[in-house]
């Protein structure tokens, strides 16, 4: 399973699981990934699996979808890619990067993997705050603090 982690705004650190069928991100009712930001369209973009790839497709949004700082209509995602969806930045984490956290220790209620005793939870707020610069490709703005 793949994940999106919110890097800024009021939902900073929220983890969205990209499992199952296609999922729509937006600020409108009925979206699978709710992003409450004025720059996000009601139905902004869709995430879907195509074979072993996760693909993002812009749904005609007003402000577009950026992948690592470049506007895209449709693109396959790689681990560590940063998406900007109408002003909200998220990092894509591929299955290979989180599999170790999906073991016998269960899952957090929020859908993110449970921490393994003795290891740092890579999705914890402290870990994200300490390492967020490593997640962003050079030239992208640093995440804003939640207000």
């Amino acid at each position: 399973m793949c994940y999106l982690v919110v890097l800024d705004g009021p939902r900073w650190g929220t983890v969205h699981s990209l499992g199952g069928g296609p999922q729509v991100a937006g600020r409108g009712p009925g979206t699978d990934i709710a992003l409450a930001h004025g720059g996000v369209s009601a139905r902004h973009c869709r995430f879907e699996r195509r074979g072993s790839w996760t693909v993002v497709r812009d749904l005609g949004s007003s402000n577009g979808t950026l992948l690592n700082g470049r506007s895209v209509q449709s693109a396959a995602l790689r681990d560590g890619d940063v998406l900007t969806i109408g002003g909200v930045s998220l990092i894509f984490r591929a299955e290979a990067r989180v599999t170790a956290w999906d073991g016998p220790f269960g899952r957090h209620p929020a859908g993110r993997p449970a921490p393994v005793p003795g290891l740092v939870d890579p999705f914890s707020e402290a870990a994200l705050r300490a390492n967020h610069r490593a997640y962003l490709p050079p030239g992208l703005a640093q995440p804003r603090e939640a207000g």
Side-chain angles (χ1 to χ4, degrees):
M1 185 165 321
C2 302
Y3 300 88
L4 289 173
V5 182
V6 179
L7 294 177
D8 56 13
R11 297 204 177 243
W12 190 95
T14 301
V15 178
H16 297 279
S17 173
L18 295 176
Q23 294 180 315
V24 173
R27 74 172 197 283
T31 56
D32 304 295
I33 301 170
L35 300 173
H37 185 282
V40 177
S41 294
R43 292 179 49 84
H44 199 100
C45 62
R46 180 177 60 232
F47 296 91
E48 57 189 42
R49 295 290 292 187
R50 289 197 188 154
S52 62
W53 294 94
T54 298
V55 175
V56 62
R57 178 180 304 276
D58 189 86
L59 298 175
S61 64
S62 298
N63 293 317
T65 300
L66 303 179
L67 176 61
N68 299 323
R70 294 179 182 245
S71 181
V72 295
Q73 290 302 309
S74 180
L77 300 175
R78 294 178 302 179
D79 185 63
D81 280 344
V82 175
L83 291 154
T84 304
I85 300 173
V88 178
S89 295
L90 306 103
I91 186 167
F92 174 76
R93 285 296 181 205
E95 183 173 9
R97 292 294 297 251
V98 293
T99 302
W101 303 94
D102 288 334
F105 302 103
R107 302 181 70 76
H108 285 294
R112 64 182 184 229
V116 175
L119 296 177
V120 175
D121 178 357
F123 293 106
S124 71
E125 182 173 338
L128 287 170
R129 285 194 188 279
N131 297 311
H132 72 270
R133 285 179 181 80
Y135 295 144
L136 295 173
L140 287 182
Q142 296 300 311
R144 297 177 298 278
E145 293 293 322

